[in-house]
Amino acid sequence: MAVPTPHDGSTGTAPPRVPADLAELLRAQLEEVADEVEEEVRNQVPEYAGPADGIYRRNLRAGVVTALTLFVDHISDSPGRVDAIAATYYELGRAVALEGRSLDALQSAVRIGGLHAWRLVGRTAEELGLDSPVVAALGELAFRTVHEVAEAAAAGYAEGQLRSADELERRRGRLLDLLLRDQPASPQTVRELAHGARWPLPQYVTVVALATAPDQRDEDRPLVGSDALVDMESRPPRILLPDPDGSGRFGGRAFALALRGRPAAIGPAVPLTEAAQSLRWAVRALGLMGRGILPRQGVLRCADHLSTLLLHSDESLLAQLQSRALTPLDAVSEGQRARLAETLLAWLLSGSNVADAAARLHVHPQTVRYRLRQLEKLFGDALQDPGTRLDLILALRAEALRNQENLTP
């Protein structure tokens, strides 16, 4: 039996009244009819054919009972309940939008369920021997019910779409905060939040720390992919990128352009559970960039400067090492000290090869030999000790970086 077209009142005559006691009769059969309508929808709409404890199945049952109740309330003329029931479908449509799903499945369920429910009601009307005008009036109420719930769902969906982008951004922001906490969250918590944020969990990530722009504008937001988690409000701003080794996103100038020329430090690639460590190293590198110890401009990869980062991971301890290892140089003048320190570092890095050290320093080998004789008087046999040599390389390298920092405007 087809759903009749709604009565538009163009004839100027009121539609026949539906017997009031029919509402109570149909209400008594509501659960039985709901079972049949639910089964029909499950057979015809694949999204609702899942397990009984799935969200689609739970929403299906609630939606069917709600729509049938609305139809019966139209018969009994209960306007207050009608408004409350229509609000249920508004929320269903809104929830669909916020979950990033299409409204198609819900609309199909409403149409198929409404048609099948009308067939069942028509069968009851036939069994009761109701007149055709009364059956037509029932059809109008059935059509009105389908129209109202579909319209309410569409309105909720439209409102949800307006908020879905903001909601998704909010969920991703919460996920980013969770991943970058020093205390790791439970895997289940991360999975649930990632699912709600529509963010597939990767095995490895890297965190990028960006230099803070004092006049930051929305149009300066980095042009990174939708798989990135971005927080431009934190200080410094940060971006978490999945699959850093397999994406090829750091190649050439492309990534620098995506950051719109903003200096940045890319933390080491780490397992997802260690994202906070990648952030920590990126922030440390960004600080060294600001001081001129590492290059100030462009995009810097922490993986290319691990020794410098290690040297400055504990600056008070580094100062102790420098003080102990370089004490012999305190016996010479400041100008001579700088030349001797530079020569000693070049000689150590050249594997004690005078010619290579001279080439590094752009001086004559004889100059290097002369300075080495002075160094031997200051340090004695300690220059031949491997442990002392390592300490000297670390201390002298840190001093060279510090001098670079002081020279950087």
Side-chain angles (χ1 to χ4, degrees), residues 367-388:
T367 302
V368 174
R369 293 189 182 93
Y370 171 73
R371 294 175 183 174
L372 282 174
R373 285 194 291 272
Q374 293 179 289
L375 288 166
E376 287 171 352
K377 290 179 181 178
L378 294 171
F379 286 90
D381 294 339
L383 289 180
Q384 306 307 318
D385 178 65
T388 300

Side-chain angles (χ1 to χ4, degrees), residues 317-328 330 337 395 399:
L317 188 60
L318 176 59
Q320 291 286 335
L321 172 64
Q322 288 180 286
S323 175
R324 185 180 66 81
L326 302 181
T327 295
D330 293 341
R337 185 188 193 282
E399 184 168 286

Side-chain angles (χ1 to χ4, degrees), residues 37-46 48-50 57 60:
V37 171
E38 181 181 359
E39 184 66 24
E40 182 71 11
V41 172
R42 287 182 57 205
N43 290 335
Q44 297 199 42
V45 185
Y48 292 96
R57 286 285 300 279
L60 171 60

Side-chain angles (χ1 to χ4, degrees), residues 73-215:
D73 284 349
H74 273 318
I75 296 174
S76 61
D77 195 18
S78 305
R81 286 173 54 85
V82 168
D83 291 342
I85 292 172
T88 299
Y89 268 86
Y90 181 92
E91 287 303 319
L92 280 175
R94 182 175 178 274
V96 168
L98 292 177
E99 291 169 9
R101 296 187 281 116
S102 168
L103 190 61
D104 292 347
L106 181 56
Q107 288 177 325
S108 295
V110 169
R111 289 193 301 269
I112 293 169
L115 182 59
H116 191 67
W118 167 243
R119 292 194 187 104
L120 298 177
V121 171
R123 186 179 65 194
T124 300
E126 186 177 343
E127 291 172 353
L128 294 174
L130 298 178
D131 295 337
S132 296
V134 175
V135 174
L138 281 173
E140 286 194 31
L141 293 179
F143 185 90
R144 177 182 170 188
T145 300
V146 171
H147 174 74
E148 286 180 351
V149 297
E151 192 174 56
Y157 187 80
E159 193 271 341
Q161 278 189 311
L162 292 177
R163 298 192 180 186
S164 61
D166 291 340
E167 176 66 13
L168 185 63
E169 192 70 19
R170 185 184 68 81
R171 291 180 183 181
R172 290 193 164 200
R174 287 179 54 204
L175 176 62
L176 181 60
D177 288 341
L178 192 72
L179 293 173
L180 295 182
R181 288 179 184 172
D182 289 330
Q183 186 66 31
S186 69
Q188 181 179 354
T189 300
V190 172
R191 282 195 302 269
E192 290 176 354
L193 194 51
H195 176 75
R198 285 183 252 161
W199 195 72
L201 291 176
Q203 282 191 299
Y204 291 90
V205 297
T206 191
V207 180
V208 182
L210 289 77
T212 302
D215 56 346

